[in-house]
Amino acid sequence: MCGIVARIGEGDDAVDELLAGLTNLEYRGYDSAGIAVQNGCGVGVRKRAGGIDDLRNALATDGPSGSVGIGHTRWSTHGPPTDANAHPHTDCDGDVAVVHNGIIENYDELRRTLSKAGHAFESDTDTEVIPHLIESALADGASPAAAFRAAVDRIEGSYAVAAVIGGREAVYAARNDSPLVVGEGESAQYLGSDVPAFLEFTERVAYLEDGDVVRVTPGGFTVTDADGERVQRTTETVDWDPQDTGKGGYDHYMLKEINEQPTALGRSVSGRTDPDAGAIDLDGFPPGTFEGIERVHLVAMGTSYHAAMYAESLLARRDVPARAFMASEYAMSPPPEEDGTLVIAISQSGETADTIGAVRAARAERTMVVTNVVGSSLTRECDDTLLVRAGPEIGVAATKSFSSQVATLSLLAERIRRDVVGSPSPDSRAFLSALSDLPDHVRRVVEGTAAEEVADAFTDSEAYFFIGRGPGHAVALEGALKFKEITYEHAEGFTAAELKHGPLALVTEDTPVFAVFNGSEGDTETLGNVKEIRARGGPVIAVASGDAPDLGDAVDRVLPVPATHPDLVGVLANVQLQLVAYHAAKRRGRSIDKPRNLAKSVTV
Ligand code: M6R
């Protein structure tokens, strides 16, 4: 989960565009960064441990220039984040420079063979074998394109890799199980791990397939597939606004993306439902699509797993047997094959390796992905794709993608119910109407929140607990994940009932507990659990709608959300918890958009 960018043009210097691309990709990894620029005869490389600003500072005093170059921002897998381990990596003579995202599984063996042949290595990375493989093929007389292909043919594992070779006005690249897209500009061509890498320069994009090898020159690009056959990859225009990938005046992407939720939800739902007619119109999933489905397996990781848990509750309420699985566990031991199993992968990025692994391992009749990223790897792995349309999410902490996932999955759950059970769920019109109101309800939460005050009131606590039931349990886990991820404080989520089976032993006056009320059945029991916490001195902050039972003085504070359909209260409650986490992290001075040790896409 590193970020790759390349710029291949004429005349103008590539360095500024490479740095702009790396800045847009920094969410993918931020341990170290580097660039290599082809200047007509040789290759100039600069790389630094640290963020893009450290690299920018280094380049300000002593930078190479040239019109063709590659860049990389790293999330370490092999070796610590040092200058030496930063990409690009070079061959013995410094004539070949390579950036890579992924893992080379046979690097140990390749490194031994290359070392025996006299190649000298300078880093701990798996990547470094690639420039030496290219060097060795060039020495055997291969052309640059053939040498690159020969190197790619010898590596095993997952990779998006790009190389520059001294004296060649071209970038050579390949992908296998790691994302890589081509950007077709007017005066220059681009490569990126993701579209935001070059979105400010071009909106024309071609998605590469696994096994593709591409040669990009200032005038265009040519692709050969895994068999070496020339293939066409169609170019399409993406409708993302480059402004969407900036901070838009907010201090952090996370806060911007929390505030964008009304718009994102509007996009997720718009045109997909007609509440007055009680109709659902999911692009590509007309009525009858899910006839014959007997059970649903939802597979995902992290925040997307919490959306999967939420959807499990929604499907269960609609009499559709469903189970959420952590994708990594599903991949290791997929349930036995049974007729009528639909596997739904949920992934913001569409690139999460564990989730891809689950889909590949699935013994299912059909697979589909619910994702935010058009053309991502999971859209290729699965039979069908349903887009959540949240727009680009840059902050490492997933926020608007969760809300949009739940909204999209709630519509999907109702579509599945109608096909499987043969009738709409009893309160489906009320649900569809509440879904249309959801963007406005989220706006009211964001504008009226007291989350900052709550975050400030509990700055010195020992730990932070989150409880809930049904969809509220998914929200409790998500609230805890968001809190720990960006504050670095100990935070844990539980089902409300679970507390007295063990975790209650941890509750003291220094452990605030956030209790999610669903505005429905189960709230009375949650109130009982809250009283048990208060009886042990634990402060309680309720996140509740007007439909929750009278909380009286059973809680210390309330973060209110508008009354709505019980299926959707959790989305509103989650927005309050996102804001609590954000303000708690800000008060602690944390690196909110790029929390330590993490990266946005976990592609390894
Ligand atoms: O792209 P995905 O939704 O598949 O990512 C899954 C998780 O890595 C991700 O949700 C992660 O947990 C979030 N960064 C948490 O905020």
Side-chain angles (χ1 to χ4, degrees):
M1 50 197 171
C2 306
I4 287 180
V5 64
R7 189 265 189 193
I8 308 97
E10 272 167 1
D12 294 344
D13 193 9
V15 175
D16 286 347
E17 292 187 4
L18 290 174
L19 285 173
L22 289 179
T23 305
N24 289 335
L25 288 179
E26 205 176 5
Y27 69 91
R28 299 180 68 90
Y30 32 86
D31 289 344
S32 56
I35 60 161
V37 179
Q38 216 287 91
N39 61 14
C41 45
V43 174
V45 176
R46 294 292 180 279
K47 49 189 195 170
R48 284 287 179 278
I52 306 299
D53 282 342
D54 296 291
L55 175 66
R56 193 175 272 116
N57 291 340
L59 288 166
T61 49
D62 168 32
S65 67
S67 56
V68 172
I70 54 177
H72 188 268
T73 178
R74 177 171 187 247
W75 185 83
S76 323
T77 53
H78 292 75
T82 58
D83 286 357
N85 286 336
H87 298 215
H89 292 285
T90 51
D91 66 333
C92 297
D93 296 333
D95 261 353
V96 179
V98 170
V99 291
H100 161 230
N101 171 31
I103 291 190
I104 310 290
E105 278 155 14
N106 59 338
Y107 90 99
D108 229 0
E109 172 200 330
L110 289 171
R111 189 168 166 140
R112 272 198 305 274
T113 311
L114 287 159
S115 297
K116 269 193 208 146
H119 292 263
F121 287 83
E122 291 177 355
S123 77
D124 308 316
T125 67
D126 51 346
T127 306
E128 202 182 351
V129 296
I130 305 173
H132 291 281
L133 287 171
I134 298 173
E135 177 186 22
S136 143
L138 286 170
D140 289 344
S143 68
F148 181 77
R149 160 71 72 175
V152 167
D153 285 347
R154 288 187 65 188
I155 57 179
E156 289 164 16
S158 63
Y159 50 83
V161 55
V164 284
I165 298 174
R168 301 286 160 161
E169 294 282 304
V171 168
Y172 306 87
R175 75 156 273 172
N176 189 50
D177 282 349
S178 285
L180 193 63
V181 284
V182 182
E184 206 177 24
E186 286 191 1
S187 58
Q189 315 302 318
Y190 302 87
L191 285 161
S193 297
D194 202 346
V195 176
F198 48 71
L199 190 58
E200 60 194 274
F201 309 118
T202 180
E203 292 164 0
R204 304 268 304 144
V205 171
Y207 295 95
L208 296 175
E209 304 274 343
D210 279 347
D212 280 357
V213 172
V214 58
R215 176 173 176 268
V216 191
T217 60
F221 66 97
T222 50
V223 184
T224 47
D225 66 12
D227 301 323
E229 299 296 326
R230 187 84 173 261
V231 283
Q232 290 295 329
R233 298 289 173 230
T234 30
T235 306
E236 52 193 86
T237 302
V238 292
D239 62 359
W240 288 3
D241 183 342
Q243 297 298 325
D244 289 351
T245 56
K247 277 195 207 150
Y250 288 92
D251 287 348
H252 297 97
Y253 281 110
M254 182 182 179
L255 187 60
K256 175 182 174 241
E257 287 158 4
I258 289 173
N259 276 273
E260 280 173 349
Q261 288 178 108
T263 316
L265 281 164
R267 277 199 301 255
S268 302
V269 174
S270 99
R272 288 175 161 175
T273 168
D274 178 351
D276 295 335
I280 295 173
D281 183 7
L282 275 182
D283 23 329
F285 300 90
T289 305
F290 297 106
E291 271 168 21
I293 292 302
E294 291 178 25
R295 73 197 63 75
V296 176
H297 293 168
L298 302 132
V299 295
M301 298 303 291
T303 293
S304 295
Y305 172 66
H306 300 146
M309 287 178 63
Y310 201 124
E312 177 189 271
S313 293
L314 300 182
L315 283 159
R317 269 177 48 80
R318 287 167 173 76
D319 299 322
V320 178
R323 211 175 136 195
F325 294 84
M326 198 78 89
S328 52
E329 304 309 299
Y330 194 90
M332 245 192 305
S333 40
E337 186 164 356
E338 282 179 288
D339 287 345
T341 302
L342 168 67
V343 167
I344 304 179
I346 304 161
S347 173
Q348 187 285 130
S349 60
E351 301 295 348
T352 299
D354 289 316
T355 310
I356 294 173
V359 168
R360 287 183 181 163
R363 295 182 271 203
E365 194 162 312
R366 282 174 64 181
T367 58
M368 65 178 286
V369 61
V370 175
T371 183
N372 196 28
V373 181
V374 184
S376 55
S377 297
L378 275 163
T379 65
R380 289 148 208 281
E381 293 286 338
C382 294
D383 300 323
D384 296 299
T385 296
L386 181 60
L387 293 172
V388 303
R389 306 172 175 167
E393 188 178 69
I394 308 294
V396 166
T399 52
K400 64 176 179 175
S401 60
F402 177 84
S403 299
S404 287
Q405 283 169 339
V406 172
T408 308
L409 285 163
S410 70
L411 273 173
L412 181 63
E414 184 60 28
R415 165 82 281 135
I416 295 174
R417 144 88 195 199
R418 291 177 185 193
D419 286 351
V420 169
V421 178
S423 60
S425 54
D427 58 354
S428 84
R429 277 179 195 249
F431 157 71
L432 292 177
S433 155
L435 195 58
S436 300
D437 292 340
L438 191 60
D440 190 48
H441 285 159
V442 169
R443 187 171 294 113
R444 279 164 56 193
V445 171
V446 173
E447 285 171 4
T449 186
E452 184 169 5
E453 201 186 309
V454 168
D456 285 353
F458 298 101
T459 42
D460 299 320
S461 304
E462 275 171 16
Y464 300 79
F465 299 134
F466 298 75
I467 61 168
R469 286 188 148 70
H473 177 218
V475 171
L477 295 186
E478 174 57 12
L481 173 61
K482 216 86 310 173
F483 200 90
K484 73 181 82 159
E485 181 180 22
I486 59 169
T487 66
Y488 314 157
E489 300 286 351
H490 178 210
E492 266 191 88
F494 306 101
T495 65
E498 191 184 348
L499 279 190
K500 54 181 173 258
H501 297 281
L504 201 52
L506 297 171
V507 168
T508 69
E509 61 198 17
D510 286 327
T511 58
V513 180
F514 292 84
V516 178
F517 288 85
N518 294 318
S520 64
E521 68 278 4
D523 278 356
T524 312
E525 288 77 4
T526 302
L527 183 56
N529 303 127
V530 159
K531 288 179 180 160
E532 289 154 10
I533 295 164
R534 288 293 294 296
R536 273 114 193 133
V540 175
I541 305 99
V543 191
S545 79
D547 291 332
D550 182 11
L551 299 172
D553 56 6
V555 299
D556 296 81
R557 284 164 193 265
V558 180
L559 287 168
V561 299
T564 185
H565 190 278
D567 283 356
L568 301 172
V569 173
V571 175
L572 302 176
N574 188 58
V575 173
Q576 288 283 23
L577 296 180
Q578 292 169 350
L579 286 158
V580 171
Y582 172 80
H583 289 294
K586 191 170 178 199
R587 198 185 158 93
R588 287 165 175 78
R590 303 300 191 219
S591 168
I592 293 180
D593 286 331
K594 292 177 272 175
R596 72 183 178 202
N597 304 338
L598 300 177
K600 181 77 178 159
S601 302
V602 187
T603 58
V604 289

